Amino acid sequence: QVHLVESGGDSVQAGGSLKLSCAAPGYIFSNCGMAWYRQAPGKERELVSTIRITGATTYADSVKGRFTISTDLRMGILYLQMDRLRTEDTAVYYCAGGHYCTAENPFPDRGQGTQVTVSS
């Protein structure tokens, strides 16, 4: 049973900040790592950022320098700090992870998502 629960989505003005959280106690130590995806209306799902248990991170070019992924291993929480938000960051944000991952499906489990709306 997938148990990934996102929170923190909100409506903000461009230039503002939000911090998303994902309760992921069963996933945080997985060798698959964890990720944040987003999907805007009419657009394909986009991989925003990933983090490995080693602490290694990756970011999409569109968010590099503005977003920061992190984990609280003790609490089992995945975070996404989003600064200098732009209207194009508007999307539903999903956290993702897995216990049995492949190159084709690196993060097979996903939460229900949290809405982020950025207005100009």
Side-chain angles (χ1 to χ4, degrees):
Q1 183 177 358
V2 175
H3 192 76
L4 294 165
V5 182
E6 303 94 337
S7 61
D10 205 344
S11 297
V12 296
Q13 288 195 322
S17 297
L18 280 176
K19 187 171 187 177
L20 305 183
S21 300
C22 174
Y27 292 86
I28 206 77
F29 289 101
S30 170
N31 288 328
C32 297
M34 296 202 70
W36 286 99
Y37 286 87
R38 67 184 180 185
Q39 188 161 21
K43 295 188 177 180
E44 291 189 357
R45 189 179 66 175
E46 177 186 18
L47 178 60
V48 175
S49 182
T50 69
I51 187 166
R52 297 293 174 185
I53 192 65
T54 59
T57 59
T58 67
Y59 296 93
D61 287 342
S62 57
V63 307
K64 202 170 291 184
R66 300 187 298 120
F67 290 11
T68 304
I69 192 171
S70 63
T71 56
D72 183 328
L73 296 178
R74 186 176 65 87
M75 297 298 292
I77 299 175
L78 175 72
Y79 296 106
L80 186 68
Q81 176 67 45
M82 305 187 296
D83 298 317
R84 301 195 303 280
L85 282 160
R86 304 169 180 168
T87 55
E88 54 263 39
D89 295 320
T90 295
V92 178
Y93 284 72
Y94 302 89
C95 70
H99 300 293
Y100 305 103
C101 47
T102 65
E104 295 74 23
N105 195 10
F107 307 104
D109 298 333
R110 192 178 70 180
Q112 294 298 306
T114 187
Q115 176 71 47
V116 172
T117 303
V118 185
S119 59
S120 58

